[in-house]
Amino acid sequence: MNDLKARYIEAEKGQYVKLQAHVDSGSRIALTIDAWTGNNKLDYITVTGHYETVDRERVTTLLNILEINEPVHSGTYLASKLLEVTDRL
């Protein structure tokens, strides 16, 4: 488990460096959110980033999967969950 966690942390750091370089170059990243209820009756959202490189390659990357605990999925609540993801980057 420790090895898996270390690999995850390294990959996350690499992803951060790539995304930050993209933004620092003057480019932007479009974010999408998708919500669903799993078979275990828990609610989740995924946050995905989309951008185009200077070589015009389209990139889509999973930024995070979060469990949502509030029974009402208001815009304010979902925005707070989105900020949890973007503030980590």
Side-chain angles (χ1 to χ4, degrees):
M1 188 62 159
N2 288 336
D3 185 45
L4 183 61
K5 189 172 185 175
R7 287 182 186 198
Y8 174 83
I9 290 169
E10 266 317 296
E12 186 178 51
K13 285 179 190 175
Q15 181 77 302
Y16 170 81
V17 169
K18 219 192 298 190
L19 292 171
Q20 191 61 53
H22 181 74
V23 171
D24 289 346
S25 74
S27 298
R28 299 291 177 252
I29 300 169
L31 300 175
T32 58
I33 297 176
D34 186 27
W36 74 96
T37 301
N39 290 339
N40 56 3
K41 305 295 184 211
L42 298 175
D43 296 331
Y44 300 94
I45 61 169
T46 53
V47 180
T48 310
H50 312 272
Y51 62 95
E52 193 171 272
T53 67
V54 293
D55 299 326
R56 306 205 40 91
E57 174 190 353
R58 291 186 180 167
V59 178
T60 296
T61 185
L62 175 65
L63 300 176
N64 210 332
I65 300 172
L66 301 167
E67 183 180 343
I68 48 179
N69 302 316
E70 296 291 322
V72 176
H73 305 152
S74 69
T76 302
Y77 177 67
L78 292 176
S80 73
K81 298 306 268 184
L82 178 61
L83 284 173
E84 282 182 34
V85 175
T86 58
D87 286 350
R88 284 189 65 198
L89 297 177

